[in-house]
Amino acid sequence: MPGPHYAISEVFIVLAAIWCILRLSQSRHWLAALGSAIFGMAAAIGVYRFGTNQIADLASFHKNFSQIGGSIAMALVTAQLLLAEPLVNRLVVGRWIVLAAVIVSTVTAFAVPELTTPLFVSWLFAAIVATALIPGSTIARRFSLTAIVSIFLINLLLIRQSRHLDPDLSWHLFHLLVAIWLLGMVYVLEFRRSDDEITDR
């Protein structure tokens, strides 16, 4: 049974999300800022749930918000990355396709909660690919940016509910890496911005 100490690592996500919202808003990355806010809200629910020892009472709400909100948040962050792609942002239809995909994904997450994990993973893979295609000065730089985005994938595969780690350690490491990923995404998003990006419209 999770204990109140589970709130500790959730706090790191909340703090990281607040910083990301402020930074991303300044650079007018509105979609990513909203995605960061949703990640932060899910963590804030966890802080309240474990901090007030309402662990069982809020378990269902916390799980549902994290799963549905997480898939929507990942869609928003990935959409911001896609809108930095020249092939997307230079065509009005390209931008609308990305936004339409986010809307459809959001509706699907609410209508069919069982699909939130596939949606999340699909958007995460799209984010990794989009990052690899962002024009960079060197191959090494592109690799480093892609590695940052891939932190979440590694986190899901190797850390979250790992059979090789103590459950408490797995929980805290997972959330610590989520916080690091959020901070890293600010660097990725601000590395290269197109003048035609939708955030400048």
Side-chain angles (χ1 to χ4, degrees), residues 124 128 146-157 159 176-178 180-182 184:
L124 178 54
I128 293 171
T146 305
I148 291 173
V149 182
S150 300
I151 288 174
F152 215 129
L153 179 61
I154 296 172
N155 203 14
L156 287 174
L157 295 176
I159 304 301
L176 181 59
L177 286 175
V178 170
I180 292 172
W181 180 83
L182 281 171

Side-chain angles (χ1 to χ4, degrees), residues 63-105:
K63 177 181 178 181
N64 291 334
F65 189 96
S66 296
Q67 291 182 341
I68 295 175
S71 67
I72 296 172
M74 185 58 73
L76 290 167
V77 173
T78 302
Q80 194 76 74
L81 286 167
L82 291 171
L83 292 171
E85 297 293 338
L87 291 178
V88 174
N89 64 48
R90 290 177 184 171
L91 296 174
V92 174
V93 65
R95 291 183 293 226
W96 281 111
I97 288 175
V98 171
L99 294 178
V102 172
I103 293 172
V104 171
S105 181

Side-chain angles (χ1 to χ4, degrees), residues 108-124:
T108 302
F110 278 107
V112 190
E114 294 79 10
L115 293 179
T116 52
T117 297
L119 286 171
F120 184 95
V121 173
S122 296
W123 281 111
L124 178 54

Side-chain angles (χ1 to χ4, degrees), residues 9-149:
S9 55
E10 299 268 21
V11 170
F12 288 107
I13 299 179
V14 174
L15 295 176
I18 292 173
W19 185 84
C20 290
I21 293 167
L22 295 175
R23 185 65 179 264
L24 292 169
S25 296
Q26 290 176 352
S27 57
R28 297 199 290 178
H29 285 97
W30 305 117
L31 296 180
L34 179 57
S36 298
I38 295 174
F39 278 121
M41 289 173 62
I45 293 172
V47 172
Y48 181 79
R49 173 191 171 197
F50 297 112
T52 60
N53 209 26
Q54 299 187 57
I55 299 172
D57 296 338
L58 295 177
S60 179
F61 176 68
H62 186 200
K63 177 181 178 181
N64 291 334
F65 189 96
S66 296
Q67 291 182 341
I68 295 175
S71 67
I72 296 172
M74 185 58 73
L76 290 167
V77 173
T78 302
Q80 194 76 74
L81 286 167
L82 291 171
L83 292 171
E85 297 293 338
L87 291 178
V88 174
N89 64 48
R90 290 177 184 171
L91 296 174
V92 174
V93 65
R95 291 183 293 226
W96 281 111
I97 288 175
V98 171
L99 294 178
V102 172
I103 293 172
V104 171
S105 181
T106 299
V107 172
T108 302
F110 278 107
V112 190
E114 294 79 10
L115 293 179
T116 52
T117 297
L119 286 171
F120 184 95
V121 173
S122 296
W123 281 111
L124 178 54
F125 272 113
I128 293 171
V129 173
T131 305
L133 296 177
I134 289 179
S137 56
T138 62
I139 294 178
R141 180 57 62 87
R142 290 192 188 190
F143 179 81
S144 64
L145 294 174
T146 305
I148 291 173
V149 182

